[in-house]
Amino acid sequence: MERLIFLERNTIQANFRRPNFDHEWIEYAETFSEQVLERLRGATIVISNKLPLREGTLRQLPDVKLIAVAATGSDNVDLDYCRRHGIAVSNARGYAANSVPEHALMLILALRRNLIAYRQDVRSGKWHQSKQFCLLTHELRDIHGSTLGIIGYGSIGKAMTRLAQSVGMHVLISEHKNDTVIREGRVAFDEVLRRSDVISLHCPLTDETRDMFGRAEFQLMKRDALLINTARGGLVQDDELVAALQHGLIAGAGFDALREEPPRAGSPLLELDLPNFIVTPHVAWASNEAMQTLAEQVIENIEAFVAGKPRNLVT
């Protein structure tokens, strides 16, 4: 009999059916890092979302056979340790292929139309004082006819491409940073930065992508360009983003991810009080429809593993 332990049940607000094999199911609404080891003793299958599962913990859990990550990103799991010790790691894929692109498009629209700045002006009474019927205190830009650069061309990057094209945006698909061989249909990373009116990040956080956006990248971008990050906070150097916004290297940014989540120790990005910078609390993925799809896929991954036909394996 398998012993399944779900460490962070409240992070997924959806219905989880029980797997169709003999098992014991234990779930915790929330789990803190210091509780992980004790709660996972005797577990054979772990369902987790963002809690760190590192070597120091995993080596004390000899019964664990599968870590079913209830998300796409698996950077919270020590994958090298799992490979060396035969622990399978599965993830969920494609469940947010509608919700994340829609959220990214919302951020693009809000920034191109200066929505936050106009809302602040209305609330401060500037419209009341206007000498004409409308208040034109900030630039307004269409997205139709603009160019979107996509960094990361997995299922979400592809869906973002389709959505952007449906509203009249031209799309450039970036080749990997520093790659000299450019695949058909791709554009060199630096050229995407130079040509795009909006850059949207949809890549995982790896050793190769960590801190991929810094001062040099912001200097390559257009001065009226936007940076949208609905992927991982660690893709962008926080201090350099702050400087780029404060010094006008780029026109604005919209982020749905920070380096530390939740940002209990604060973040330089949260201290920014600029109408051309929008932060949302890592909710781009979390539509009702996406969460239910995710819940179904997690259970399907577990059932496939127990049946000897593992799927969506990261290791």
Side-chain angles (χ1 to χ4, degrees), residues 36-87:
V36 170
L37 181 59
E38 186 59 36
R39 290 184 172 183
L40 289 185
R41 292 193 188 281
T44 59
I45 297 174
V46 179
I47 304 175
S48 68
N49 193 330
K50 295 294 184 291
L51 273 172
L53 296 172
R54 305 300 182 196
E55 178 176 351
T57 299
L58 294 174
R59 68 187 177 194
Q60 300 180 69
L61 300 170
D63 298 321
V64 172
K65 299 184 289 187
L66 170 67
I67 299 172
V69 180
T72 300
S74 56
D75 47 283
N76 58 309
V77 179
D78 190 331
L79 299 180
D80 288 338
Y81 179 87
C82 291
R83 290 189 191 98
R84 295 197 308 269
H85 293 84
I87 300 173

Side-chain angles (χ1 to χ4, degrees), residues 243-256:
L245 291 169
Q246 291 178 334
H247 300 144
L249 283 182
I250 61 174
F255 272 49
D256 186 57

Side-chain angles (χ1 to χ4, degrees), residues 117-129:
Y118 271 111
R119 181 175 181 271
Q120 291 176 348
D121 285 354
V122 170
R123 295 189 67 181
S124 67
K126 290 184 179 180
W127 195 15
H128 296 74
Q129 302 161 13

Side-chain angles (χ1 to χ4, degrees), residues 99-134:
S99 59
V100 170
E102 287 180 10
H103 195 94
L105 182 62
M106 175 188 70
L107 293 172
I108 295 168
L109 285 165
L111 291 164
R112 290 280 287 187
R113 306 294 292 191
N114 265 307
L115 182 66
I116 303 301
Y118 271 111
R119 181 175 181 271
Q120 291 176 348
D121 285 354
V122 170
R123 295 189 67 181
S124 67
K126 290 184 179 180
W127 195 15
H128 296 74
Q129 302 161 13
S130 177
K131 295 180 180 180
Q132 57 187 25
F133 70 95
C134 63

Side-chain angles (χ1 to χ4, degrees), residues 171-191:
V171 177
L172 302 177
I173 310 302
S174 175
E175 186 54 86
H176 294 153
K177 186 178 181 180
N178 299 323
D179 276 9
T180 56
V181 177
I182 310 302
R183 288 169 287 176
E184 183 177 356
R186 306 291 181 104
V187 178
F189 180 85
D190 287 0
E191 185 178 350

